[in-house]
Amino acid sequence: MAKHLIVMHGRSIKPAEAEMRKLVHKALALGVGRAGDEATRKAITSGSLKVSFAYYGDINNEIQAREDKSDRKALTATDPDHGNKPALPHKLLEDAMTLTVKASPKFTLAAYREVPKAAGDMRLLDDAASVISFFGNLTTFGILNETILKYAKPDMSEYLMRKTTGSAIRERLQVHLMPAIAAGDDIMLITHSLGCMVAYDVFWKLSFESEYRAYRQAGNPVSRWLTIGSPLAEPGIRQNLRDGRQMKQDQYPRNAFVDWTNIWAQDDFICHNSSMVRGFGEMRRKGYAGSISDKKIYNCWMYVDSRSGDLISNPHDLYGYLISEKTGQEISTWARA
């Protein structure tokens, strides 16, 4: 059974697909290496461990450029894989990775406490405030509607509100996941932020919709689902997923994955409701998943903001999660099993 690692990113503007794939591979290798697994690090860098990248950054970029003037100004690169549409310059992220690794060789509590001394706190920025406000209003009003869209970031609200957008983003994961299931691969799926919502919805579709009967019958569930910076435990998000409005007997994916590990970072504004054990305990009790667990990390990611020039810390960042030695250890454990 071949090992197959699939990674899906989250919301907000992104670099071009090819450049982001390189950044994700580099962060994965760094995280596993920092966890002490040199063999798996080499397998990732050499390609002997298959790594697929589910990219929908072109969709994010198009939405954000249309709706957010600040994001539109930041998209100064182009993406040749998607019609040369505007994209985020990748060098900003490469520099941030170098800066973060040098400043924090390990993502410990002591290292994390040093980050605000050097960089501004992302929790205080408008992006964090708008996301938290969005979650709060989802909880208050229940099902997402046009009245509360003003509290959401556009790409997240379009995923939840517009069927064509949601379907297009889910397809970006399905083109990697479905062939891997059919081939009998041993799959580890890593999803970040909005990508966790996408994966959950795909798992639900696999469990219930008739066109996926063959994949259910294949009997090859994802062996490990690793969520990082996940908003799935937010009550308002939960209500707006594919099964949120289903009858009780049709809620929760059914045996689409075996074990679910949720990694959350201190002060991550997207996953301040951090426990999947509490949020999805019923799914585990009903036997629809083998195990669900939550693990805390410190995300020491820092970057230079392209618009202000300020040094900023962001405990929600994808690359920071992947660089963490604790995330690397989870990947190592699966890869060596």
Side-chain angles (χ1 to χ4, degrees), residues 54-131:
Y55 177 83
Y56 59 100
D58 59 307
I59 300 175
N60 285 3
N61 291 345
E62 187 171 24
I63 294 169
Q64 292 299 125
R66 184 179 69 236
E67 303 291 342
D68 189 304
K69 182 189 296 186
S70 180
D71 280 352
R72 183 163 61 249
K73 289 181 178 179
L75 297 173
T76 58
T78 58
D79 187 347
D81 292 319
H82 297 280
N84 288 316
K85 292 180 180 178
L88 189 70
H90 62 89
K91 190 176 186 306
L92 296 171
L93 294 165
E94 290 177 346
D95 292 345
M97 197 175 299
T98 300
L99 172 67
T100 299
V101 171
K102 182 178 180 181
S104 304
K106 294 289 184 182
F107 284 4
T108 62
L109 175 57
Y112 185 67
R113 284 174 172 167
E114 293 297 313
V115 170
K117 297 176 184 179
D121 191 342
M122 183 66 169
R123 289 171 294 166
L124 303 179
L125 297 186
D126 289 343
D127 189 62
S130 69
V131 169

Side-chain angles (χ1 to χ4, degrees), residues 106-259:
K106 294 289 184 182
F107 284 4
T108 62
L109 175 57
Y112 185 67
R113 284 174 172 167
E114 293 297 313
V115 170
K117 297 176 184 179
D121 191 342
M122 183 66 169
R123 289 171 294 166
L124 303 179
L125 297 186
D126 289 343
D127 189 62
S130 69
V131 169
I132 292 169
S133 180
F134 173 49
F135 287 163
N137 280 275
L138 273 181
T139 302
T140 301
F141 294 110
I143 303 304
L144 188 64
N145 57 53
E146 295 289 344
T147 304
I148 61 171
L149 279 183
K150 64 182 179 180
Y151 296 101
K153 281 296 180 178
D155 50 5
M156 186 177 286
S157 66
E158 283 211 19
Y159 174 76
L160 291 169
M161 280 289 293
R162 296 203 164 99
K163 288 184 178 181
T164 53
T165 301
S167 179
I169 293 175
R170 286 189 292 273
E171 178 63 19
R172 299 295 180 89
L173 175 57
Q174 291 168 199
V175 296
H176 298 288
L177 184 59
M178 303 315 194
I181 291 172
D185 292 347
D186 178 358
I187 305 164
M188 182 180 204
L189 175 63
I190 302 176
T191 57
H192 178 244
S193 191
L194 174 57
C196 301
M197 297 159 57
V198 176
Y200 185 93
D201 284 344
V202 169
F203 284 143
W204 187 85
K205 288 174 62 181
L206 283 171
S207 301
F208 286 94
E209 295 185 354
S210 60
E211 58 263 43
Y212 300 105
R213 185 177 296 110
Y215 295 98
R216 291 195 291 274
Q217 293 173 343
N220 183 39
V222 168
S223 60
R224 290 287 304 278
W225 183 23
L226 187 64
T227 53
I228 53 178
S230 171
L232 285 172
E234 294 287 343
I237 292 294
R238 179 72 187 83
Q239 291 178 66
N240 286 280
L241 296 171
R242 289 297 295 270
D243 66 342
R245 282 163 269 185
Q246 299 295 324
M247 297 180 68
K248 198 170 183 65
Q249 59 265 36
D250 291 333
Q251 291 182 344
Y252 304 116
R254 309 290 171 88
N255 305 307
F257 54 87
V258 179
D259 296 317

